[in-house]
């Protein structure tokens, strides 16, 4: 899915006449936008432009995903009793990197216009 989604994004950017909307590619891009091993640094600005162009419910989904990336970090900073218990039951918890938080902030920035 990764190579097809990235090609989809490149086609959207450089050859809009031959670009065709594909929901599954859009969803992959929205869920993987924060990982530079999946969306390279040089493609991220293109992805931001693409995300900015999204309309309707998918725009809200993109915003929700970005907000959750930042909320996860806030919750890790201030654990309450429930979260301490939850962490004990989870073997592996996703740690949000500074880079992922920065990307999430940029996504929120383009969607909040």
């Amino acid at each position: 899915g990764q190579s097809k989604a990235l090609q989809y994004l490149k086609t959207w950017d450089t050859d809009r006449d031959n670009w065709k909307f594909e929901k599954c590619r859009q969803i992959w891009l929205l869920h993987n936008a924060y990982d530079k091993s999946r969306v390279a640094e040089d493609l991220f600005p293109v992805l931001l432009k693409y995300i900015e162009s999204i309309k309707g419910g998918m725009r809200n989904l993109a915003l929700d995903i970005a907000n959750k990336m930042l909320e996860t970090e806030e919750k890790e900073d201030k654990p309450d009793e429930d979260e301490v218990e939850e962490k004990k039951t989870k073997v592996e918890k996703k740690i949000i990197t500074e880079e992922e938080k920065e990307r999430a902030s940029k996504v929120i920035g383009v969607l909040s216009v």
Side-chain angles (χ1 to χ4, degrees):
Q2 180 176 352
S3 63
K4 287 183 179 179
L6 296 178
Q7 188 56 53
Y8 169 84
L9 181 63
K10 290 174 189 171
T11 303
W12 176 86
D13 186 44
T14 61
D15 190 8
R16 204 73 56 93
D17 290 340
N18 290 309
W19 174 83
K20 181 177 161 272
F21 174 74
E22 295 180 54
K23 188 173 186 172
C24 63
R25 305 288 172 239
Q26 183 179 70
I27 290 169
W28 188 95
L29 289 167
L30 294 179
H31 284 283
N32 292 281
Y34 309 97
D35 184 345
K36 88 172 185 184
S37 70
R38 294 181 180 229
V39 179
E41 201 64 41
D42 63 323
L43 260 183
F44 187 68
V46 174
L47 181 55
L48 278 178
K49 286 193 300 183
Y50 176 79
I51 289 172
E52 188 176 20
S53 75
I54 294 173
K55 306 281 185 235
M58 291 308 281
R59 189 176 180 90
N60 294 333
L61 175 67
L63 194 54
D64 288 346
I65 294 168
N67 280 318
K68 282 182 180 139
M69 294 292 285
L70 297 179
E71 284 172 13
T72 300
E73 186 61 31
E74 288 170 15
K75 287 180 182 175
E76 287 174 8
D77 290 344
K78 306 171 205 157
D80 62 23
E81 288 179 29
D82 292 339
E83 289 181 81
V84 170
E85 287 301 313
E86 188 179 314
K87 282 184 180 182
K88 287 179 185 173
T89 61
K90 284 188 178 178
V91 177
E92 190 177 320
K93 181 155 179 32
K94 170 108 172 88
I95 302 298
I96 307 299
T97 66
E98 286 300 315
E99 183 173 275
E100 289 169 326
K101 287 191 292 183
E102 185 179 317
R103 283 186 171 199
S105 293
K106 288 178 179 177
V107 168
I108 292 166
V110 300
L111 291 174
S112 299
V113 174

